Amino acid sequence: MPRKFLIVGAGFFGSVCARELTDAGHQCLIVEKRDHIGGNCFTRFWEEAGCHQHVYGPHIFHTNSPEIWAYVNRFAEFNHFVNRPRVSYRGNIYSFPLNLLTLYQLYGVKTPFEAEEKLASVREPIENPENLEEWCLSQVGREIYEKFIKGYTVKQWQKDPKELPASIIRRLPVRLTYDDNYFTDRYQGIPVGGYTSIFERLLEGLAVELEVDFLKERDNWIGKYDEIIYTGPVDAFFDYSEGVLEYRSLRFENELLDQRDFQGNALINYTDERVPYTRIAEHKHFDMNLNQPKTLITREFSQNWKPGLTEYYPVNTAANNETFRRYGELIAKSGLPVTFGGRLGQYRYFDMHQVIAAALSKVKELLSK
Ligand code: FAD
Ligand code: UDP
């Protein structure tokens, strides 16, 4: 029997669910409060710069899973972009993520053996590192921590790194080779034609209503559908009854410059706390097309979230995770036919490939009911 699904949010979680449920013979309506599809992966073409702007922050697709790579390749062709960000700190440019070239730039060491010896001499003996700062000091010592991590982290999270979990930084590798690929995954790239084109194909033939805020008519919607897939913030769904979850928000300043190439790279991180932005993205490098004489750059500023601002990152401190756990209990108790998915529905720091995998697995579960 075909079921009627309402899907809230046209990001990856919502769009993949909509595609798969429709292909399995069910009826789906997608409502999206923004005026476009694609969620935070949305890109817009800038004629003057000849490239796609990553409107809600730079997105690089990467995955180790052949299945997820095959899945996204059904909806897009990917270029061979590899993320090799650089760090700018007090007038110097460094290779990043931390690798042998970075250690050469800092300490003059040239081989893995020399680098290991140097790191061993600067590491601080902290047996059970309990937070981000302690973990960094125990892995790379104070100089690297202060030049590469501390300022960026304070700007990004507006918290003392002693209050943050080390898990935030464990995503950052320290390599004793000259490999400066930010990711270790087997597959990586940027969709030719921008991310929005993936969503146009994912949602081809499906009913999508833009500029509709589900929460404004929540109870009305719930009665009309067999099941709802909700990818907005879980606390807002329940009118914050179990407490307000903390998020980080972002502000982007775009500038179209009358020059072909501003910084020679897609991403440069500014790790000095005195520089107000965290990074500058130069969008044409993602598209690997430097033909146009103009270029579009975006300075990214992190800011505290408050109602009215977009929730970009969950802040997974112990206290926030505890609040989220209470929402989990409420969901189970409520018996509502609602699935909470994606970065905001699950309050987890998911990358795109993880969201797609989670959506595919959720659809399997829904179809088996
Ligand atoms: P979203 O993309 O946020 O989609 C949710 C949608 O629901 C939104 O469009 C929202 O408007 C809509 N919505 C919410 N509430 C309502 C409502 N009440 N009514 C109607 N619609 C609603 N991942 C990578 O793999 N690589 C990267 O390089 C990368 N870089 C990132 C950089 C930044 C700055 C950020 C913020 C994220 C980055 N990510 C990256 C993560 C990636 O953006 C997410 O994994 C992905 O967008 C999550 O998809 P989603 O569907 O869960 O959420
Ligand atoms: N980070 C840092 N310096 C950098 C880049 C990242 O200290 O130059 C830290 C920072 O705490 C950040 C975390 O590593 O929050 C994860 O960064 P990443 O760029 O992987 O995450 P994203 O913001 O893209 O999700």
Side-chain angles (χ1 to χ4, degrees):
M1 260 281 279
R3 285 182 266 162
K4 272 174 75 179
F5 283 88
L6 177 72
I7 292 167
V8 181
F12 261 122
F13 195 92
S15 302
V16 168
C17 287
R19 175 80 271 148
E20 296 303 305
L21 289 167
T22 304
D23 290 353
H26 298 288
Q27 246 183 55
C28 295
L29 169 67
I30 300 144
V31 291
E32 166 55 60
K33 70 177 175 187
R34 288 171 171 163
D35 64 0
H36 59 74
I37 56 175
N40 285 343
C41 307
F42 174 66
T43 52
R44 179 187 290 131
F45 188 65
W46 275 58
E47 196 80 50
E48 303 97 317
C51 66
H52 295 88
Q53 175 198 4
H54 294 210
V55 175
Y56 301 99
H59 279 70
I60 300 109
F61 197 92
H62 59 98
T63 179
N64 241 337
S65 155
E67 290 80 24
I68 298 297
W69 185 240
Y71 188 80
V72 285
N73 275 273
R74 272 174 56 194
F75 306 101
E77 183 195 333
F78 282 77
N79 69 16
H80 62 285
F81 178 84
V82 170
N83 193 24
R84 303 181 198 282
R86 299 285 180 262
V87 157
S88 172
Y89 180 81
R90 302 200 178 170
N92 289 317
I93 295 286
Y94 295 96
S95 184
F96 197 71
L98 300 169
N99 68 77
L100 202 43
L101 187 59
T102 327
L103 297 172
Y104 172 71
Q105 291 166 330
L106 285 168
Y107 303 124
V109 292
K110 292 183 186 143
T111 63
F113 179 76
E114 286 172 19
E116 182 47 49
E117 272 201 325
K118 183 67 196 177
L119 280 178
S121 75
V122 298
R123 283 189 190 117
E124 295 193 6
I126 302 171
E127 233 169 62
N128 290 313
E130 281 184 357
N131 54 56
L132 189 150
E133 176 166 309
E134 287 183 2
W135 187 80
C136 290
L137 294 175
S138 71
Q139 298 294 306
V140 292
R142 189 160 295 275
E143 182 176 351
I144 294 183
Y145 170 62
E146 289 189 345
K147 283 190 172 153
F148 291 84
I149 310 295
K150 191 177 175 197
Y152 191 98
T153 301
V154 168
K155 283 192 284 188
Q156 174 83 339
W157 298 98
Q158 235 127 81
K159 279 194 192 300
D160 185 331
K162 288 192 201 74
E163 285 173 43
L164 289 168
S167 56
I168 290 175
I169 208 93
R170 285 212 174 116
R171 294 146 41 101
L172 275 183
V174 184
R175 298 202 188 108
L176 298 187
T177 66
Y178 288 105
D179 179 7
D180 61 355
N181 181 346
Y182 199 61
F183 302 112
T184 49
D185 288 343
R186 186 159 156 199
Y187 309 103
Q188 182 171 176
I190 303 287
V192 176
Y195 284 92
T196 304
S197 67
I198 298 191
F199 290 89
E200 283 163 357
R201 293 181 66 185
L202 263 171
L203 297 173
E204 212 174 304
L206 272 64
V208 182
E209 289 184 14
L210 298 175
E211 296 183 270
V212 174
D213 185 342
F214 163 83
L215 290 179
K216 288 203 171 135
E217 304 241 4
R218 180 187 47 203
D219 297 337
N220 239 341
W221 288 112
I222 289 178
K224 289 194 187 126
Y225 286 82
D226 297 322
E227 293 189 50
I228 293 180
I229 294 176
Y230 173 84
T231 68
V234 61
D235 53 350
F237 183 96
F238 289 106
D239 297 325
Y240 306 99
S241 67
E242 305 302 300
V244 179
L245 286 165
E246 197 181 356
Y247 302 94
R248 294 299 301 155
S249 196
L250 298 170
R251 184 169 64 78
F252 300 103
E253 270 181 22
N254 300 316
E255 203 179 343
L256 184 67
L257 299 173
D258 224 345
Q259 61 191 90
R260 195 173 294 277
D261 193 354
F262 169 70
Q263 62 185 16
N265 204 38
L267 283 175
I268 298 202
N269 294 353
Y270 286 79
T271 54
D272 187 347
E273 206 177 330
R274 295 175 304 186
V275 177
Y277 41 87
T278 50
R279 55 185 175 181
I280 299 183
E282 186 169 13
H283 301 268
K284 57 168 43 172
H285 289 282
F286 291 116
D287 285 358
M288 307 183 87
N289 173 9
L290 307 187
N291 290 341
Q292 293 300 319
K294 293 192 180 185
T295 192
L296 175 69
I297 63 164
T298 302
R299 292 184 177 82
E300 187 173 323
F301 301 78
S302 179
Q303 58 182 353
N304 286 329
W305 175 82
K306 57 179 194 237
L309 293 181
T310 303
E311 304 86 348
Y312 283 95
Y313 296 98
V315 184
N316 291 109
T317 56
N320 291 328
N321 289 342
E322 171 54 25
T323 306
F324 179 68
R325 196 192 55 75
R326 288 201 299 275
Y327 280 108
E329 284 179 2
L330 187 59
I331 293 167
K333 249 195 316 202
S334 74
L336 287 167
V338 181
T339 293
F340 292 81
R343 221 184 214 209
L344 300 174
Q346 291 285 309
Y347 199 63
R348 284 269 301 280
Y349 208 117
F350 285 132
D351 273 337
M352 293 178 276
H353 61 289
Q354 295 166 311
V355 169
I356 294 169
L360 290 172
S361 124
K362 179 50 77 178
V363 167
K364 248 193 203 156
E365 189 188 314
L366 290 169
L367 291 178
S368 70
K369 277 208 252 170

